[in-house]
């Protein structure tokens, strides 16, 4: 079984080596001691959310303080091709469910999208609170999945801003029930023609009412492709995670050797 994971700020693990001691404090330490009830002698991983993972053994466990003896430090590189979920705002917390599951499956970043048919609206103070909630959701999901990277929650976009992002991406795919080409064909064709430079694939998921024809046209005019996930229509909360699974398989992101 893998070690439990607790987060520390990016950069705070720099300079550690075998045998050195690291002290985790604050909410993460309290969670480790009072909720997980870690005790001296138990194995644990401390990660900085930016790819650095320290594995070690608990030396001391007190309220709000966890001392760990470092046994190893590893740096996990970002994938050469990054997957970015563009998730339309949806009612009933389905958008949060989508980003939570996608994080557990390995998404690299998420973009909240205020689409034309989104019932939920991020305005004023609510926008900042909602963005912070999304970041909290992906952080908790990354911890659950024992990831060394916490996905970035980028600024919310409307359709004109998303169109600009599509133009700058390596590939942008609209998951659409009326598409003709399967997602696998779209990804494999792009992969065969791609360069070795770091690239991003935007996976665009609409709200419950679907992406409007006008939005599809606008995004496709900027270079997006439409793709079909399967024979059935998926909810807004499941389409993105399903696409992450398929793309990860095609791109070899889940290979262990």
């Amino acid at each position: 079984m893998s070690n439990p994971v607790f987060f520390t700020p990016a950069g705070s693990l720099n300079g550690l080596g075998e045998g050195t001691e690291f002290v985790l404090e604050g909410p993460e330490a309290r969670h480790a001691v009072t909720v997980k009830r870690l005790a001296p002698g138990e194995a644990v991983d401390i990660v900085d959310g930016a790819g650095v993972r320290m594995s070690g053994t608990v030396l001391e466990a007190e309220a709000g303080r966890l001392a760990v003896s470092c046994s190893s430090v590893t740096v996990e590189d970002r994938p050469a091709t990054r997957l970015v979920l563009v998730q339309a705002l949806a009612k009933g917390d389905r958008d949060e469910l989508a980003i939570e599951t996608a994080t557990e499956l390995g998404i690299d970043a998420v973009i909240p999208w205020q689409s034309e048919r989104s019932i939920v609206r991020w305005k004023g103070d609510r926008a900042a609170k909602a963005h912070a909630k999304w970041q909290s959701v992906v952080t908790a999901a990354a911890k659950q999945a024992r990831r060394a990277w916490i996905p970035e929650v980028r600024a919310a976009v409307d359709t004109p801003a998303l169109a600009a992002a599509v133009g700058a991406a390596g590939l942008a795919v609209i998951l659409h029930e009326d598409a003709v080409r399967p997602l696998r064909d779209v990804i494999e064709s792009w992969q065969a023609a791609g360069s070795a430079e770091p690239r991003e694939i935007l996976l665009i998921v609409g709200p419950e009412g679907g992406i409007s024809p006008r939005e599809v046209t606008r995004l496709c005019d900027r270079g997006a492709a439409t793709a079909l996930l399967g024979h059935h229509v998926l909810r807004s909360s499941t389409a993105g995670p399903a696409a992450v699974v398929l793309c990860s398989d095609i791109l070899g992101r889940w290979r262990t050797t």
Side-chain angles (χ1 to χ4, degrees):
M1 183 176 178
S2 58
N3 296 338
V5 163
F6 299 94
F7 288 121
T8 189
S12 59
L13 298 176
N14 295 347
L16 292 179
E18 184 178 357
T20 56
E21 181 178 327
F22 178 80
V23 176
L24 180 69
E25 297 179 313
E28 284 291 275
R30 287 193 293 274
H31 185 244
V33 175
T34 62
V35 178
K36 292 295 186 180
R37 297 187 180 279
L38 293 185
E42 294 191 75
V44 66
D45 283 1
I46 309 295
V47 302
D48 72 349
V52 181
R53 180 188 302 269
M54 182 198 79
S55 296
T57 304
V58 176
L59 294 174
E60 300 175 16
E62 304 172 354
R65 184 178 186 275
L66 188 76
V68 180
S69 175
C70 172
S71 58
S72 66
V73 176
T74 57
V75 178
E76 300 179 14
D77 295 330
R78 283 186 182 275
T81 301
R82 301 173 191 173
L83 300 176
V84 179
L85 175 60
V86 179
Q87 178 65 49
L89 305 185
K91 65 180 182 180
D93 296 333
R94 285 182 179 156
D95 47 13
E96 293 178 9
L97 177 59
I99 64 172
E100 177 184 50
T101 308
T103 297
E104 294 175 5
L105 293 169
I107 201 73
D108 298 298
V110 298
I111 300 176
W113 175 31
Q114 187 77 69
S115 69
E116 290 182 5
R117 293 178 175 174
S118 289
I119 296 174
V120 175
R121 296 284 159 179
W122 285 12
K123 295 180 179 179
D125 293 341
R126 179 177 182 178
K129 292 179 180 178
H131 187 276
K133 178 67 180 298
W134 276 39
Q135 187 64 66
S136 176
V137 168
V138 301
T139 299
K143 186 174 181 178
Q144 166 66 31
R146 293 168 168 76
R147 293 184 57 175
W149 286 94
I150 299 175
E152 171 193 9
V153 179
R154 298 179 183 171
V157 297
D158 56 13
T159 299
L162 177 56
V166 165
L171 174 67
V173 184
I174 303 169
L175 304 177
H176 201 283
E177 62 184 284
D178 292 333
V180 176
R181 296 182 68 193
L183 178 59
R184 177 177 291 276
D185 288 354
V186 173
I187 299 297
E188 288 180 343
S189 296
W190 174 82
Q191 187 180 30
S195 68
E197 296 297 322
R199 300 166 294 173
E200 287 191 345
I201 297 176
L202 302 186
L203 300 171
I204 303 172
V205 177
E208 302 93 323
I211 303 173
S212 74
R214 179 169 58 182
E215 288 175 315
V216 173
T217 298
R218 184 166 192 168
L219 297 177
C220 287
D221 285 347
R222 294 302 301 268
T226 58
L228 190 65
L229 262 175
H231 298 295
H232 307 292
V233 177
L234 301 181
R235 288 184 181 273
S236 180
S237 57
T238 55
V244 173
V245 171
L246 181 58
C247 290
S248 295
D249 178 56
I250 296 169
L251 298 171
R253 288 164 54 111
W254 286 357
R255 292 173 189 160
T256 57
T257 58

